[in-house]
Amino acid sequence: MDTMDWSNLSFGYMKTDYNVRCYYRDGKWGELEVSSSEQINIHMAATCLHYGQEAFEGLKVFRGKDGKARVFRVDENAKRLQSSCDGILMAPLPTEIFIEAVEKVVKLNERFIPPYESGASLYVRPLLIGMGAQVGVKPAKEYLFVVFVTPVGPYFKEGFKPTPMVILRSYDRAAPLGTGIYKVGGNYAASLVAGEKAHEMGYSAVLYLDAKEKKYIDECGPANFFAIKNNTYITPKSSSILPSITNKSLMALAESMGMKVERRQIPEEELSTFEEAGACGTAAVISPILRIDDLEEDKSYVFSKDGKPGPVCEKLYHKLRAIQYGDEPDTFGWVRIIE
Ligand code: PLP
Ligand code: COI
């Protein structure tokens, strides 16, 4: 591990030592199992393969200056996974098992937690899938919960630097009353074509508008949207976006810094009035937005003239990271030390 170039990690998969698994059979969740295999043995008629019974989570573990490993808001991820399970009729996993599994897999892969100085972190990826065989469109009777980890650097390769994003009006990610509020694989499948198109054109992500009216800002491909003006933190209220735990945390931080917080519909035209804009999420942390182009409407909204993050993005970013790495006291009770 001494040879690892921790500071130059990208956001990708790296094999680690162990993963942790739990099976749901005969109407109940079993004991946690430790595995060193990267493979899952799966029935060819499993519902996750045919009918998209799959939900996942993403959270991070940070090593502090004191060497301790800290996991951020793990209880919130446990709750969101339960909500995703309810949303696509999978057996929900109790919070205690979720937290125990995360702690266990982190401890077993302790040597993969990047050092404090690197600015990298250990990404934890829980997933829950329908394992039982069905041919008719029905929920499975058996499920598998797996958690693996992988050390990661920034999601957008630029790191904490503004990047351009694009509105592509001929694509939607999620329907207003569909599954956008759940973290299920199908939403990401639905975003692949637009995402690749955006990347080919040099954009870091797609910014989706609401699918019904094509009028309001929804969210970015892998992250929520927020903007700043008049000492106010503004973020979309929508029935088709994922309730981001990072966004929820930033709202609390903004308030604690004396800012106003508004969660409401954001019409696209309002983009021209914002002083700063950003994408936020576990993987994205805060990714400031340089510019948003609405190609079909031939409009462009610029948020950074000098290519640098704005002062509020900067402040929020450092505050959040300081809490996550344990540099500042955890006054909100967001951090759990794994010993
Ligand atoms: N929106 C989408 C579509 C995401 O995939 C994610 C990532 O988890 C987020 C928002 C950010 O959510 P969180 O801050 O909980 O990671
Ligand atoms: C995360 O931020 O954890 C995500 O899941 C985003 C993306 C990698 C899907």
Side-chain angles (χ1 to χ4, degrees), residues 149-220:
V149 296
T150 187
V152 294
Y155 188 75
F156 296 117
K157 64 179 186 310
E158 294 79 3
F160 185 60
K161 190 170 165 267
T163 59
M165 299 196 180
V166 66
I167 295 171
L168 295 173
R169 288 172 170 268
S170 38
Y171 299 93
D172 290 321
R173 172 187 172 275
L177 301 175
T179 56
I181 54 170
Y182 308 122
K183 202 163 169 66
V184 298
N187 297 337
Y188 298 82
S191 75
L192 287 175
V193 171
E196 283 302 297
K197 202 167 170 176
H199 290 149
E200 278 164 22
M201 290 189 290
Y203 297 100
S204 61
V206 176
L207 182 66
Y208 289 95
L209 298 181
D210 78 282
K212 190 173 178 187
E213 297 190 65
K214 293 283 188 185
K215 197 169 161 195
Y216 302 103
I217 305 298
D218 246 358
E219 65 177 330
C220 309

Side-chain angles (χ1 to χ4, degrees), residues 11 56-59 123 125 155 183 188 222-223 281-284:
F11 191 89
F56 67 100
E57 273 303 324
L59 61 163
Y123 187 68
R125 171 53 65 85
Y155 188 75
K183 202 163 169 66
Y188 298 82
T282 298

Side-chain angles (χ1 to χ4, degrees), residues 32-102:
L32 288 183
E33 299 171 18
V34 175
S35 172
S36 55
S37 168
E38 290 172 284
Q39 316 297 324
I40 294 171
N41 189 12
I42 202 165
H43 194 290
M44 62 187 172
T47 59
C48 65
L49 299 177
H50 296 257
Y51 303 129
Q53 273 202 308
E54 190 276 350
F56 67 100
E57 273 303 324
L59 61 163
K60 278 178 173 170
V61 170
F62 305 85
R63 194 188 288 286
K65 227 181 247 171
D66 55 8
K68 289 186 180 157
R70 292 169 167 79
V71 62
F72 189 67
R73 304 197 80 171
V74 57
D75 51 323
E76 290 285 335
N77 292 91
K79 274 195 273 180
R80 192 170 62 189
L81 181 61
Q82 288 157 7
S83 158
S84 296
C85 287
D86 292 342
I88 58 168
L89 288 187
M90 300 198 292
L93 182 86
T95 300
E96 312 79 71
I97 303 182
F98 185 96
I99 295 178
E100 195 188 336
V102 169

